[in-house]
Amino acid sequence: MDIAVFGAGQVGRDMMPALERDYNIDYYVDNDKRLWGTRIGEYLIQPPQELVYYQGNIVIASIQYTMELIKQLLGMGISAERIFFCYKFQAENFQCRVYPVLAERYQSPKIPLIQFDLLEENEEKMVRKKVLVACLLYSVYTKQLIENLSGRYEDVEFSLLTQAKEYRENIKSGKLKHIYCFGSLAELKTILEQLPVYDVMQFLWIEFEWSYFYQVIRAKTKRLNLNVGGSDFYRAKKDEREFKRKLIACADTITAETRETVSEFEAYYGTDLKRPVGLLPFGVEVLGYIRKYRDVPEEQLRGEFNLPLGKLVVTCGHNALEVHQHMKIIKALSCLSEEVKQQAVFVFPMTYPKCADGYVEDVKNKLESVGISYVVLTEFMDFQRMAQYALISDIMIHVQLTDQLSSSMLEEMYANSVVIAGSWLPYRSLHEMGLYFLDVDSIPDVTGILEDVVRDIGSYRQKCEGNPQIIWDHSSWDGLSPKWHALWE
């Protein structure tokens, strides 16, 4: 495909190697007059008006101003059929996913629906409510929801729409009727067009890709349910939020995990909502395992992780994503008194995602310069291992940039850990439920609060004694399964 690239700033420059691999770039354009006549590599940068005479397609190379540039092109008389933009871009991996402005540009390949199904067709022996769960990538929340609800209720038949083939091996056999797996938006459109009408479509997160096909999605279900995730709302830029508006407007029910998210989502999309957003978190599977291992001696559990006895275990974050701000945490730890440094071992669980090896190494190198006892966990942990670790963790530092509700934090509180969380996270309702944890207004504040907790750990543990029962009542699948099932009645 021949393209002109609109945007010669840093994003446009970073995109160039990825775009060159898949497209023939004719030239760049930019609104900045100072760039006209200069080059990006071999490509000349010209005024946007040149696009009026251009016969090829146009790819917008901007993350922040996509909608503004689309409007500018349409105002110049350029048809929407020729306009594309980049939604997901990773410069380090030279990955660039280009989307047409009009979903109709996707031509449905003539492939039978059964060829997208990872499971063999099974005969249905009873009439059950047909629920299609949609989740783009692999998630343990999807696995837990399907396994817990299908195990408790026989009146629901689950199918899954996803890009992740891992579900075939990771969800227990017999819990799913179909797994429809697609590799591109064109294949997604093909699947949607051939699906039967479902009683319910349950989208576990309001992911960008679903919004392309909101009309066919709405036509293929009697009831459309959306669940708000932290990344699809809090980390979404304005352009992405606006792109999702039509899908949101045609949903029958929308739920979120915290009261703060409910309020903020309603404030943003209020006029488009059919009814108020409901409050409904996911269950936390690990809680049951923590109950199972509570009476195991601590020395045995610490031995599983090669952690010394006699030192407090301080957990820093819960995965290898930079949003956990590990580098800033390490800087705060470096300011601790030598007395406190000697009383604790600092554990950085960085077991996922798998592609974060470079960042994990950076964290390890930084830790070497701080003068603290530390352990970086990189091996995969199943629910049993997660529960065992939660039981030996004394303190958790949870200060990621954004979040809706962290199951890892709930697991730690259920296991009687003292949690230090960022006050910017939407956790006010957790305090209102009666949960005890400490808030910090900035990461440098972690130093002073952690000093106090380490020196007086006994009294802080006493303040946390009511947490386990509150967590169980509000976050176990025993309590939440009936509420999820009610969404599909």
Side-chain angles (χ1 to χ4, degrees):
M1 182 170 78
D2 294 335
I3 64 169
V5 182
F6 196 160
Q10 192 59 52
V11 173
R13 295 172 187 273
D14 290 343
M15 281 185 185
M16 186 179 69
L19 291 173
E20 282 182 321
R21 186 181 57 198
D22 298 321
Y23 307 101
N24 175 45
I25 302 174
D26 287 318
Y27 56 84
Y28 275 69
V29 302
D30 198 275
N31 285 322
D32 188 345
K33 296 180 180 180
R34 296 171 298 177
L35 299 177
W36 297 350
T38 64
R39 291 182 178 272
I40 293 182
E42 64 182 89
Y43 306 111
L44 183 65
I45 304 173
Q46 302 193 59
Q49 194 61 27
E50 290 294 322
L51 296 174
V52 173
Y53 312 102
Y54 185 59
Q55 299 300 309
N57 292 307
I58 300 151
V59 173
I60 293 172
S62 173
I63 303 301
Q64 188 172 0
Y65 301 107
T66 302
M67 295 305 295
E68 288 86 345
L69 296 182
I70 289 173
K71 291 176 183 177
Q72 180 179 343
L73 291 170
L74 294 173
M76 293 166 58
I78 295 169
S79 65
E81 288 80 2
R82 295 173 50 210
I83 303 173
F84 294 73
F85 64 99
C86 181
Y87 166 52
K88 293 182 179 176
F89 168 60
Q90 293 178 312
E92 64 274 16
N93 298 325
F94 300 106
Q95 293 182 358
C96 186
R97 296 179 64 179
V98 171
Y99 294 76
V101 169
L102 296 180
E104 290 77 8
R105 287 295 304 271
Y106 283 105
Q107 299 298 316
S108 303
K110 304 302 181 183
I111 302 174
L113 180 61
I114 193 171
Q115 292 193 28
F116 294 101
D117 191 356
L118 300 182
L119 302 178
E120 294 182 1
E121 185 81 20
N122 295 313
E123 287 294 327
E124 181 58 50
K125 297 181 179 179
M126 58 184 291
V127 177
R128 297 194 287 179
K129 185 157 290 187
K130 299 183 187 304
V131 176
L132 180 73
V133 176
C135 178
L136 198 66
L137 303 178
Y138 180 78
S139 169
V140 293
Y141 293 108
T142 309
K143 169 184 167 67
Q144 290 179 42
L145 178 69
I146 292 171
E147 290 184 347
N148 276 281
L149 271 293
S150 61
R152 287 174 166 84
Y153 300 98
E154 295 184 353
D155 62 332
V156 180
E157 169 195 289
F158 289 100
S159 294
L160 183 62
L161 178 62
T162 184
Q163 279 192 315
K165 295 181 179 179
E166 301 98 302
Y167 284 113
R168 179 170 53 184
E169 288 75 32
N170 291 327
I171 289 185
K172 292 178 181 177
S173 177
K175 301 301 182 184
L176 284 167
K177 179 73 172 177
H178 305 282
I179 301 177
Y180 296 115
C181 191
F182 62 94
S184 67
L185 288 188
E187 291 183 354
L188 172 57
K189 187 177 183 182
T190 298
I191 293 171
L192 288 170
E193 289 176 342
Q194 295 185 63
L195 285 176
V197 175
Y198 275 81
D199 294 302
V200 182
M201 282 191 181
Q202 179 69 55
F203 288 77
L204 294 189
W205 292 281
I206 310 175
E207 294 164 305
F208 184 89
E209 285 76 359
W210 312 129
S211 300
Y212 259 95
F213 306 113
Y214 72 94
Q215 290 173 309
V216 65
I217 287 171
R218 180 66 268 186
K220 290 290 183 173
T221 183
K222 299 174 185 176
R223 184 179 185 86
L224 176 59
N225 296 341
L226 306 178
N227 180 69
V228 184
S231 60
D232 62 47
F233 181 61
Y234 288 115
R235 297 178 196 170
K237 294 182 172 62
K238 183 178 179 180
D239 289 350
E240 182 180 341
R241 286 188 178 189
E242 291 303 311
F243 190 77
K244 296 173 178 178
R245 193 176 284 275
K246 289 183 179 179
L247 177 65
I248 288 164
C250 66
D252 295 299
T253 300
I254 299 177
T255 56
E257 293 194 70
T258 66
R259 292 194 188 101
E260 290 85 352
T261 304
V262 167
S263 298
E264 292 175 42
F265 193 87
E266 287 181 337
Y268 191 90
Y269 290 109
T271 57
D272 292 310
L273 303 176
K274 288 185 176 181
R275 57 176 58 88
V277 176
L279 179 65
L280 182 60
F282 288 93
V284 181
E285 188 88 2
V286 177
L287 301 185
Y289 288 84
I290 293 174
R291 276 191 167 188
K292 179 180 178 181
Y293 290 101
R294 268 201 196 278
D295 296 329
V296 176
E298 183 179 0
E299 58 268 24
Q300 180 179 332
L301 294 177
R302 288 203 178 210
E304 293 284 338
F305 295 90
N306 296 314
L307 292 173
L309 290 170
K311 287 194 173 188
L312 294 175
V313 174
V314 181
T315 303
C316 305
H318 63 78
N319 65 40
L321 293 175
E322 293 185 43
V323 295
H324 285 269
Q325 307 195 85
H326 300 97
M327 296 302 186
K328 291 183 179 180
I329 293 174
I330 294 170
K331 185 175 180 180
L333 300 181
S334 70
C335 298
L336 292 168
S337 65
E338 289 302 315
E339 175 192 355
V340 169
K341 286 181 180 179
Q342 293 301 314
Q343 290 183 58
V345 55
F346 300 89
V347 180
F348 288 72
M350 306 186 80
T351 61
Y352 69 93
K354 297 179 181 178
C355 60
D357 292 347
Y359 178 63
V360 173
E361 285 304 310
D362 291 342
V363 169
K364 289 180 179 179
N365 292 335
K366 186 70 173 178
L367 284 165
E368 282 294 317
S369 65
V370 178
I372 60 174
S373 175
Y374 72 89
V375 173
V376 177
L377 301 176
T378 57
E379 296 296 320
F380 170 78
M381 291 198 289
D382 58 17
F383 291 150
Q384 174 180 316
R385 293 279 288 176
M386 291 165 67
Q388 291 171 338
Y389 178 77
L391 286 164
I392 58 175
S393 177
D394 298 293
I395 303 165
M396 181 187 193
I397 301 171
H398 179 65
V399 289
Q400 67 187 73
L401 283 170
T402 62
D403 186 39
Q404 182 177 192
L405 183 63
S406 167
S407 60
S408 295
M409 183 182 77
L410 297 178
E411 292 158 14
E412 293 260 348
M413 286 196 283
Y414 185 67
N416 289 113
S417 298
V418 181
V419 170
I420 301 170
S423 63
W424 56 89
L425 297 171
Y427 294 158
R428 185 182 68 254
S429 59
L430 299 182
H431 282 303
E432 292 171 354
M433 287 164 51
L435 289 172
Y436 179 81
F437 57 97
L438 298 159
D439 296 301
V440 289
D441 293 329
S442 67
I443 295 180
D445 293 340
V446 167
T447 305
I449 289 182
L450 187 57
E451 290 263 356
D452 291 340
V453 174
V454 169
R455 289 191 168 113
D456 197 11
I457 187 66
S459 64
Y460 279 102
R461 279 177 174 152
Q462 286 182 346
K463 295 176 182 179
C464 296
E465 286 179 351
N467 286 351
Q469 189 59 52
I470 296 172
I471 295 290
W472 183 263
D473 291 342
H474 287 84
S475 299
S476 68
W477 278 114
D478 283 355
L480 289 171
S481 291
K483 298 179 181 179
W484 277 95
H485 183 254
L487 280 181
W488 309 322
E489 292 178 343

